[in-house]
Amino acid sequence: ETGVTQTPRHLVMGMTNKKSLKCEQHLGHNAMYWYKQSAKKPLELMFVYSLEERVENNSVPSRFSPECPNSSHLFLHLHTLQPEDSALYLCASSQEAGRLEQYFGPGTRLTVT
Amino acid sequence: AQKVTQAQTEISVVEKEDVTLDCVYETRDTTYYLFWYKQPPSGELVFLIRRNSFDEQNEISGRYSWNFQKSTSSFNFTITASQVVDSAVYFCALSEALGSSNTGKLIFGQGTTLQVKP
């Protein structure tokens, strides 16, 4: 595997379900990010992790819970979501030095029914 | 506040035409970085270029070229002899440091949807 991978690629879940999105980077980076991209909206930064420590929580509802067990893996745990949470969720990584380009995964297309 | 504006929401051209995507930014930082990303229909954002604020040299990569002008706070992207495969959403982004950490975050523009017709 190379670059940034995300699983699953597509997910349909009910509002009472609990699911997790997984991201893995194979680039040796130390910072990882979750973004949300809704239809006709700009990319919204959700969380930033640097050296496995959360350094940014962009006012995200608690029904989204991130986890970064090591610098290569990032999870987004989902529970009791709303239909408006349906979106493309993108993971990215970059070098710890920040201000450098981020490399994105292919995204998880989430549909909440 | 940091801000990136891509005023062109959608552009449609015919193959082989040249097209320029505009990007205007606002920042109080004296040192910053600018980026362009391409998002094809598959969804994955593809990094195209990073430009440092202290380097105003224009850059050319194949059919792609970038014009960075600090005086007008613009970082425009030109595709020469466009092709159908260039059809995508293009995002301009500006870096912003996150507090005292060494990690920055990117401020993205709204994106410009480019459609290249055969």
Side-chain angles (χ1 to χ4, degrees), chain B residues 68-105:
Chain B
F68 176 33
Q69 300 218 352
K70 285 180 79 169
S71 60
T72 55
S73 297
S74 65
F75 185 41
N76 297 336
F77 172 30
T78 297
I79 302 175
T80 303
S82 60
Q83 300 176 1
V84 173
V85 293
D86 296 326
S87 297
V89 182
Y90 291 86
F91 292 94
C92 180
L94 168 70
S95 65
E96 177 182 83
L98 281 174
S100 58
S101 77
N102 284 330
T103 300
K105 66 178 186 181

Short mmCIF file of all heavy atoms in Angstrom, two decimals, chain B residues 68-105:
data_model
loop_
_atom_site.label_atom_id
_atom_site.label_comp_id
_atom_site.label_asym_id
_atom_site.label_seq_id
_atom_site.Cartn_x
_atom_site.Cartn_y
_atom_site.Cartn_z
N PHE B 68 2.23 33.62 -9.25
CA PHE B 68 2.11 34.09 -7.86
C PHE B 68 2.49 35.56 -7.84
O PHE B 68 3.60 35.93 -8.22
CB PHE B 68 3.04 33.28 -6.97
CG PHE B 68 3.09 33.72 -5.54
CD1 PHE B 68 1.98 34.26 -4.91
CD2 PHE B 68 4.27 33.58 -4.81
CE1 PHE B 68 2.04 34.66 -3.58
CE2 PHE B 68 4.33 33.97 -3.48
CZ PHE B 68 3.23 34.52 -2.87
N GLN B 69 1.57 36.41 -7.36
CA GLN B 69 1.84 37.84 -7.27
C GLN B 69 1.46 38.33 -5.87
O GLN B 69 0.27 38.47 -5.57
CB GLN B 69 1.05 38.61 -8.33
CG GLN B 69 1.38 38.19 -9.76
CD GLN B 69 1.38 39.38 -10.72
OE1 GLN B 69 1.00 40.48 -10.35
NE2 GLN B 69 1.81 39.15 -11.94
N LYS B 70 2.46 38.62 -5.06
CA LYS B 70 2.20 39.10 -3.70
C LYS B 70 1.53 40.46 -3.71
O LYS B 70 0.72 40.77 -2.83
CB LYS B 70 3.50 39.17 -2.89
CG LYS B 70 4.01 37.81 -2.48
CD LYS B 70 5.29 37.93 -1.70
CE LYS B 70 5.06 38.34 -0.27
NZ LYS B 70 6.26 38.21 0.55
N SER B 71 1.86 41.28 -4.69
CA SER B 71 1.30 42.64 -4.73
C SER B 71 -0.22 42.64 -4.84
O SER B 71 -0.89 43.54 -4.35
CB SER B 71 1.90 43.42 -5.90
OG SER B 71 1.61 42.76 -7.12
N THR B 72 -0.76 41.62 -5.46
CA THR B 72 -2.22 41.52 -5.61
C THR B 72 -2.79 40.34 -4.82
O THR B 72 -3.97 40.03 -4.93
CB THR B 72 -2.60 41.34 -7.10
OG1 THR B 72 -1.90 40.19 -7.62
CG2 THR B 72 -2.23 42.57 -7.91
N SER B 73 -1.93 39.70 -4.00
CA SER B 73 -2.37 38.55 -3.19
C SER B 73 -3.10 37.52 -4.06
O SER B 73 -4.20 37.06 -3.73
CB SER B 73 -3.29 39.00 -2.05
OG SER B 73 -2.60 39.84 -1.17
N SER B 74 -2.47 37.19 -5.16
CA SER B 74 -3.11 36.22 -6.06
C SER B 74 -2.16 35.08 -6.40
O SER B 74 -0.93 35.26 -6.42
CB SER B 74 -3.58 36.91 -7.34
OG SER B 74 -2.48 37.40 -8.08
N PHE B 75 -2.74 33.94 -6.64
CA PHE B 75 -1.96 32.75 -7.00
C PHE B 75 -2.78 31.99 -8.03
O PHE B 75 -3.48 31.03 -7.71
CB PHE B 75 -1.70 31.91 -5.74
CG PHE B 75 -0.81 30.71 -5.95
CD1 PHE B 75 0.32 30.79 -6.75
CD2 PHE B 75 -1.10 29.51 -5.33
CE1 PHE B 75 1.16 29.69 -6.93
CE2 PHE B 75 -0.27 28.40 -5.50
CZ PHE B 75 0.85 28.50 -6.30
N ASN B 76 -2.69 32.43 -9.27
CA ASN B 76 -3.54 31.89 -10.33
C ASN B 76 -2.91 30.69 -11.02
O ASN B 76 -1.68 30.57 -11.11
CB ASN B 76 -3.85 32.98 -11.36
CG ASN B 76 -4.64 34.13 -10.76
OD1 ASN B 76 -5.33 33.96 -9.75
ND2 ASN B 76 -4.55 35.30 -11.37
N PHE B 77 -3.76 29.85 -11.55
CA PHE B 77 -3.37 28.57 -12.12
C PHE B 77 -3.87 28.51 -13.56
O PHE B 77 -5.06 28.70 -13.80
CB PHE B 77 -3.97 27.46 -11.26
CG PHE B 77 -3.83 26.06 -11.77
CD1 PHE B 77 -2.75 25.66 -12.55
CD2 PHE B 77 -4.79 25.10 -11.45
CE1 PHE B 77 -2.62 24.36 -12.99
CE2 PHE B 77 -4.67 23.79 -11.89
CZ PHE B 77 -3.59 23.41 -12.66
N THR B 78 -2.97 28.27 -14.51
CA THR B 78 -3.34 28.21 -15.91
C THR B 78 -3.08 26.82 -16.47
O THR B 78 -1.99 26.25 -16.26
CB THR B 78 -2.57 29.25 -16.74
OG1 THR B 78 -2.92 30.55 -16.29
CG2 THR B 78 -2.90 29.13 -18.23
N ILE B 79 -4.05 26.30 -17.16
CA ILE B 79 -3.89 25.04 -17.88
C ILE B 79 -3.86 25.39 -19.37
O ILE B 79 -4.80 26.00 -19.90
CB ILE B 79 -5.04 24.06 -17.60
CG1 ILE B 79 -5.12 23.76 -16.09
CG2 ILE B 79 -4.85 22.76 -18.38
CD1 ILE B 79 -6.31 22.90 -15.70
N THR B 80 -2.79 25.00 -20.02
CA THR B 80 -2.63 25.28 -21.44
C THR B 80 -3.10 24.06 -22.23
O THR B 80 -2.87 22.92 -21.84
CB THR B 80 -1.15 25.56 -21.75
OG1 THR B 80 -0.71 26.64 -20.95
CG2 THR B 80 -0.95 25.89 -23.22
N ALA B 81 -3.79 24.33 -23.34
CA ALA B 81 -4.27 23.24 -24.20
C ALA B 81 -5.02 22.20 -23.37
O ALA B 81 -4.62 21.04 -23.29
CB ALA B 81 -3.11 22.60 -24.97
N SER B 82 -6.10 22.62 -22.77
CA SER B 82 -6.84 21.77 -21.83
C SER B 82 -7.30 20.47 -22.50
O SER B 82 -7.50 20.39 -23.72
CB SER B 82 -8.05 22.53 -21.29
OG SER B 82 -8.91 22.90 -22.35
N GLN B 83 -7.44 19.45 -21.64
CA GLN B 83 -7.88 18.14 -22.09
C GLN B 83 -9.07 17.69 -21.25
O GLN B 83 -9.25 18.17 -20.13
CB GLN B 83 -6.74 17.12 -21.96
CG GLN B 83 -5.50 17.46 -22.78
CD GLN B 83 -4.37 16.48 -22.54
OE1 GLN B 83 -4.50 15.53 -21.77
NE2 GLN B 83 -3.24 16.72 -23.21
N VAL B 84 -9.82 16.75 -21.77
CA VAL B 84 -11.00 16.26 -21.04
C VAL B 84 -10.62 15.75 -19.66
O VAL B 84 -11.34 15.93 -18.68
CB VAL B 84 -11.73 15.19 -21.86
CG1 VAL B 84 -12.85 14.55 -21.05
CG2 VAL B 84 -12.29 15.78 -23.16
N VAL B 85 -9.44 15.15 -19.55
CA VAL B 85 -8.99 14.60 -18.26
C VAL B 85 -8.71 15.68 -17.23
O VAL B 85 -8.53 15.38 -16.05
CB VAL B 85 -7.73 13.72 -18.42
CG1 VAL B 85 -8.06 12.48 -19.21
CG2 VAL B 85 -6.59 14.50 -19.05
N ASP B 86 -8.66 16.93 -17.67
CA ASP B 86 -8.46 18.03 -16.72
C ASP B 86 -9.76 18.38 -15.99
O ASP B 86 -9.76 19.18 -15.04
CB ASP B 86 -7.95 19.28 -17.44
CG ASP B 86 -6.57 19.08 -18.05
OD1 ASP B 86 -5.75 18.34 -17.45
OD2 ASP B 86 -6.30 19.64 -19.13
N SER B 87 -10.87 17.82 -16.42
CA SER B 87 -12.15 18.11 -15.78
C SER B 87 -12.11 17.64 -14.33
O SER B 87 -11.85 16.47 -14.04
CB SER B 87 -13.30 17.38 -16.52
OG SER B 87 -13.41 17.84 -17.85
N ALA B 88 -12.35 18.58 -13.43
CA ALA B 88 -12.25 18.29 -11.99
C ALA B 88 -12.63 19.55 -11.23
O ALA B 88 -12.89 20.60 -11.82
CB ALA B 88 -10.82 17.88 -11.62
N VAL B 89 -12.64 19.42 -9.91
CA VAL B 89 -12.75 20.60 -9.06
C VAL B 89 -11.35 20.96 -8.59
O VAL B 89 -10.59 20.09 -8.15
CB VAL B 89 -13.66 20.34 -7.84
CG1 VAL B 89 -13.80 21.62 -7.01
CG2 VAL B 89 -15.04 19.85 -8.29
N TYR B 90 -10.99 22.21 -8.70
CA TYR B 90 -9.66 22.67 -8.32
C TYR B 90 -9.77 23.57 -7.10
O TYR B 90 -10.57 24.51 -7.07
CB TYR B 90 -8.99 23.41 -9.47
CG TYR B 90 -8.62 22.48 -10.61
CD1 TYR B 90 -9.55 22.16 -11.60
CD2 TYR B 90 -7.36 21.89 -10.67
CE1 TYR B 90 -9.22 21.29 -12.64
CE2 TYR B 90 -7.02 21.03 -11.70
CZ TYR B 90 -7.97 20.73 -12.68
OH TYR B 90 -7.64 19.87 -13.69
N PHE B 91 -8.95 23.27 -6.09
CA PHE B 91 -8.95 24.04 -4.85
C PHE B 91 -7.62 24.75 -4.67
O PHE B 91 -6.56 24.16 -4.84
CB PHE B 91 -9.18 23.12 -3.64
CG PHE B 91 -10.54 22.52 -3.57
CD1 PHE B 91 -10.80 21.26 -4.09
CD2 PHE B 91 -11.58 23.21 -2.96
CE1 PHE B 91 -12.06 20.70 -4.02
CE2 PHE B 91 -12.85 22.66 -2.88
CZ PHE B 91 -13.09 21.41 -3.41
N CYS B 92 -7.72 26.00 -4.27
CA CYS B 92 -6.57 26.78 -3.84
C CYS B 92 -6.60 26.78 -2.31
O CYS B 92 -7.68 26.79 -1.70
CB CYS B 92 -6.69 28.20 -4.39
SG CYS B 92 -5.35 29.32 -3.96
N ALA B 93 -5.44 26.74 -1.67
CA ALA B 93 -5.40 26.69 -0.21
C ALA B 93 -4.24 27.51 0.32
O ALA B 93 -3.22 27.70 -0.35
CB ALA B 93 -5.30 25.24 0.27
N LEU B 94 -4.40 27.98 1.55
CA LEU B 94 -3.41 28.80 2.24
C LEU B 94 -3.10 28.14 3.57
O LEU B 94 -4.01 27.67 4.25
CB LEU B 94 -4.00 30.20 2.46
CG LEU B 94 -3.30 31.17 3.40
CD1 LEU B 94 -1.99 31.65 2.79
CD2 LEU B 94 -4.21 32.36 3.71
N SER B 95 -1.83 28.11 3.97
CA SER B 95 -1.49 27.49 5.24
C SER B 95 -1.68 28.47 6.38
O SER B 95 -1.55 29.68 6.23
CB SER B 95 -0.04 27.02 5.22
OG SER B 95 0.82 28.14 5.12
N GLU B 96 -1.99 27.90 7.53
CA GLU B 96 -2.11 28.69 8.75
C GLU B 96 -1.56 27.85 9.88
O GLU B 96 -1.90 26.68 10.01
CB GLU B 96 -3.59 29.01 9.04
CG GLU B 96 -3.83 29.76 10.33
CD GLU B 96 -5.31 30.01 10.58
OE1 GLU B 96 -5.97 29.10 11.09
OE2 GLU B 96 -5.78 31.12 10.27
N ALA B 97 -0.69 28.45 10.72
CA ALA B 97 -0.13 27.69 11.84
C ALA B 97 -1.20 27.50 12.90
O ALA B 97 -2.10 28.33 13.06
CB ALA B 97 1.07 28.43 12.42
N LEU B 98 -1.07 26.40 13.64
CA LEU B 98 -2.01 26.10 14.71
C LEU B 98 -1.35 26.39 16.04
O LEU B 98 -0.59 25.59 16.55
CB LEU B 98 -2.43 24.62 14.66
CG LEU B 98 -3.47 24.26 13.62
CD1 LEU B 98 -3.67 22.76 13.59
CD2 LEU B 98 -4.79 24.96 13.90
N GLY B 99 -1.58 27.54 16.59
CA GLY B 99 -1.07 27.90 17.91
C GLY B 99 0.42 27.68 18.01
O GLY B 99 1.19 28.05 17.13
N SER B 100 0.84 27.02 19.09
CA SER B 100 2.26 26.82 19.33
C SER B 100 2.75 25.50 18.78
O SER B 100 3.92 25.18 18.87
CB SER B 100 2.54 26.87 20.83
OG SER B 100 1.78 25.86 21.48
N SER B 101 1.88 24.72 18.22
CA SER B 101 2.31 23.43 17.68
C SER B 101 3.02 23.65 16.36
O SER B 101 2.96 24.72 15.76
CB SER B 101 1.10 22.52 17.46
OG SER B 101 0.41 22.89 16.29
N ASN B 102 3.71 22.66 15.93
CA ASN B 102 4.41 22.74 14.65
C ASN B 102 3.50 22.35 13.50
O ASN B 102 3.94 22.28 12.36
CB ASN B 102 5.62 21.80 14.66
CG ASN B 102 6.74 22.38 15.47
OD1 ASN B 102 6.88 23.59 15.55
ND2 ASN B 102 7.53 21.53 16.09
N THR B 103 2.26 22.11 13.80
CA THR B 103 1.36 21.67 12.74
C THR B 103 0.54 22.82 12.23
O THR B 103 0.04 23.63 13.01
CB THR B 103 0.44 20.57 13.28
OG1 THR B 103 1.24 19.48 13.73
CG2 THR B 103 -0.51 20.09 12.21
N GLY B 104 0.43 22.90 10.92
CA GLY B 104 -0.43 23.92 10.34
C GLY B 104 -1.70 23.30 9.83
O GLY B 104 -1.87 22.09 9.84
N LYS B 105 -2.60 24.14 9.44
CA LYS B 105 -3.80 23.65 8.76
C LYS B 105 -3.98 24.45 7.49
O LYS B 105 -3.44 25.56 7.35
CB LYS B 105 -5.03 23.76 9.65
CG LYS B 105 -5.48 25.16 9.99
CD LYS B 105 -6.74 25.11 10.83
CE LYS B 105 -7.30 26.49 11.08
NZ LYS B 105 -8.53 26.43 11.93
#
